[in-house]
Amino acid sequence: MKPSIYIESTIPSYLVARSSRDARVAADQKTTAQWWDLHSGDFEMFISAVVIREVARGNAEIAALRIAKIHGLPVLA
């Protein structure tokens, strides 16, 4: 059985955002993308309706990319 983790809104946001000018944020974005590519399959990932609402806000095109990243993840009650 895989360990379970909760994916909050920062993760899909970092995955689709343009690289930040802030070096710390850019490093976090890169690390998040590397983790997602290499290790996300090692976990049973869950989201909540709150996360869905949060990532659906803002620019419609970017919001659609965030939604695509979490598509298919089980939603907690």
Side-chain angles (χ1 to χ4, degrees):
M1 179 177 221
K2 295 179 183 181
S4 298
I5 58 171
Y6 175 77
I7 302 296
E8 51 87 30
S9 58
T10 304
I11 304 303
S13 295
Y14 275 7
L15 291 173
V16 304
R18 283 181 273 158
S19 185
S20 176
R21 293 181 196 178
D22 180 294
R24 175 64 188 176
V25 174
D28 289 346
Q29 290 171 316
K30 183 177 180 180
T31 300
T32 299
Q34 289 173 335
W35 178 88
W36 190 266
D37 291 342
L38 298 173
H39 302 290
S40 62
D42 299 336
F43 297 88
E44 196 68 41
M45 299 188 294
F46 297 90
I47 57 170
S48 69
V50 172
V51 169
I52 295 169
R53 283 193 303 271
E54 287 177 355
V55 301
R57 292 181 185 153
N59 176 285
E61 184 178 328
I62 301 300
L65 295 173
R66 289 190 298 260
I67 291 291
K69 288 292 182 182
I70 60 172
H71 177 77
L73 295 180
V75 180
L76 298 172

